[in-house]
Amino acid sequence: MTSGTDSNPGGDRLSVGTYVVDRDATDDPDRAVVVRLPDAVCATWEIEDTDQTVADYNPDYSSEAPVAIVVFEPALDSVSEWHHSDPDDLWPLVQTHDLPYYAYPEPRLEPVGDSLAGHTHTEPMTIWFDGACEPVNPGGHGTYGIVVAQGEEIVHEERGYIGEGEGITNNVAEYEALVAALEHTQAEYPGAPVTVYGDSQLVIRQLTGEYAVRSPRLRPLWQDARRLANQLDVEFEWVPREQNERADALSREAYYEQTQQEELDKRRERAANEPMQITPLGDETYEVKGTYTVDLTARSCTCPDYENRGLPCKHIFKVKQNCEQS
């Protein structure tokens, strides 16, 4: 492309570092980042290796519209330092790494979100992550917990369920936890220095390169974690389990929630398949089987199962099902 003096005159021009999408793209357009605003218009900016200008390629836009140079995020993601680069450093970075770039009429580009400068954070971030496979490993329920802090303040906690059965292990759950934590931090706090703590020696040492990744099941997860880590200023440190209590507790909460939900689903199914005599008593209360009293307002029952475990029993589900059908 022809060269020119970079400028950013007043008015409604974009800024270097702004996230944009192509207004003319269909479906779900890829995001790009403005890396240069040359002092040129579409009629004078020639496309590299062609004898045509940006205006020739964009007849629906004014030939006097200013030109913006962009690089799409997938290309930028191959360069680990771009997320914490100053906007003024983007164009030199593109040239240094020979990244593909494209010239557009500025009016064709729609800003999305904030600028790169607005997304850059410098306060240190801390991540704790943990995963579990219960009640058996492998093949149990895979869950995870993550804690993200900015300085001394916890800014994000998350627990999640991965799945059950073949292919689920403690190590898989640990990696899923780490990927979830890195994805959140990269999206919300790009540019911030990050320290990651985990009690899995395998995961931490594979990320630091001390251990090889030989498992076909773990390699894609390791690649995802490594790719995200390359976009952050990150250090990995192993800690004993007692120093990772909150993330561990979140992963266990996810397990209990999942198994409790499975138990509730079984009770709901038993209620649907089991005939029960139900007698309305008034005020949202019902007698079931001539023995137990269900209070729908309090979601309670006088049966031993409810009184011992505190979970909605099959009698409660049966009354609800009958009410919904009537």
Side-chain angles (χ1 to χ4, degrees):
M1 297 181 181
T2 59
S3 60
T5 303
D6 288 358
S7 66
N8 189 12
D12 296 327
R13 291 207 70 182
L14 298 171
S15 299
V16 172
T18 300
Y19 291 87
V20 295
V21 294
D22 181 359
R23 296 179 189 271
D24 293 349
T26 58
D27 299 325
D28 186 17
D30 289 334
R31 289 205 315 176
V33 175
V34 177
V35 296
R36 186 182 180 194
L37 293 171
D39 184 13
V41 296
C42 294
T44 61
W45 191 268
E46 294 180 358
I47 304 299
E48 189 174 0
D49 298 327
T50 75
D51 58 358
Q52 294 185 299
T53 66
V54 174
D56 295 326
Y57 277 93
N58 294 271
D60 294 335
Y61 293 87
S62 170
S63 61
E64 296 304 309
V67 172
I69 309 300
V70 305
V71 175
F72 286 93
E73 274 195 294
L76 283 167
D77 284 343
S78 66
V79 182
S80 61
E81 66 266 29
W82 87 269
H83 278 286
H84 43 91
S85 296
D86 290 329
D88 290 343
D89 295 332
L90 286 175
W91 181 241
L93 181 146
V94 169
Q95 294 178 300
T96 299
H97 294 274
D98 196 24
L99 299 179
Y101 56 91
Y102 303 89
Y104 282 85
E106 272 200 45
R108 184 171 167 176
L109 299 173
E110 178 179 2
V112 288
D114 298 325
S115 69
L116 180 64
H119 273 275
T120 300
H121 299 261
T122 57
E123 188 171 356
M125 306 296 298
T126 309
I127 289 173
W128 292 268
F129 72 95
D130 198 20
C133 183
E134 298 289 350
V136 294
N137 179 48
H141 293 277
T143 60
Y144 69 83
I146 61 175
V147 179
V148 180
Q150 185 176 45
E152 299 297 320
E153 178 187 2
I154 293 177
V155 294
H156 181 70
E157 289 188 344
E158 181 181 328
R159 58 184 179 271
Y161 182 72
I162 300 165
E164 178 189 15
E166 185 177 358
I168 303 298
T169 68
N170 278 339
N171 292 330
V172 167
E174 294 275 6
Y175 264 111
E176 293 279 6
L178 176 59
V179 169
L182 292 174
E183 284 179 338
H184 175 84
T185 305
Q186 190 274 334
E188 299 296 329
Y189 305 96
V194 182
T195 303
V196 177
Y197 295 107
D199 56 48
S200 169
Q201 290 193 24
L202 176 76
V203 172
I204 294 296
R205 292 183 179 179
Q206 284 180 341
L207 266 297
T208 59
E210 297 174 71
Y211 287 175
V213 186
R214 297 188 174 89
S215 166
R217 180 70 176 89
L218 295 183
R219 177 162 286 277
L221 295 169
W222 173 84
Q223 289 173 334
D224 284 345
R226 190 67 264 171
R227 172 182 56 80
L228 290 163
N230 286 341
Q231 298 171 16
L232 295 162
D233 178 11
V234 62
E235 293 184 358
F236 295 94
E237 293 189 21
W238 175 83
V239 292
R241 180 169 295 276
E242 56 267 22
Q243 294 183 25
N244 200 29
E245 291 181 350
R246 183 54 189 157
D248 176 72
L250 287 168
S251 68
R252 294 187 183 280
E253 287 176 18
Y255 168 68
Y256 294 133
E257 287 177 356
Q258 177 63 28
T259 53
Q260 184 179 86
Q261 185 59 52
E262 290 182 352
E263 175 63 26
L264 293 178
D265 290 342
K266 291 177 183 177
R267 294 175 179 211
R268 188 179 291 107
E269 183 178 357
R270 286 199 297 269
N273 296 328
E274 183 178 334
M276 299 183 195
Q277 179 185 354
I278 299 175
T279 304
L281 299 177
D283 296 328
E284 291 292 296
T285 60
Y286 300 82
E287 184 181 76
V288 182
K289 294 183 175 181
T291 305
Y292 307 119
T293 300
V294 168
D295 183 339
L296 280 188
T297 302
R299 291 179 60 84
S300 65
C301 180
T302 58
C303 73
D305 182 35
Y306 178 84
E307 291 180 347
N308 290 334
R309 300 189 62 183
L311 294 177
C313 61
K314 63 182 180 181
H315 309 119
I316 294 175
F317 282 121
K318 190 67 174 183
V319 171
K320 289 187 63 180
Q321 291 165 4
N322 276 22
C323 290
E324 290 167 359
Q325 293 169 3
S326 60

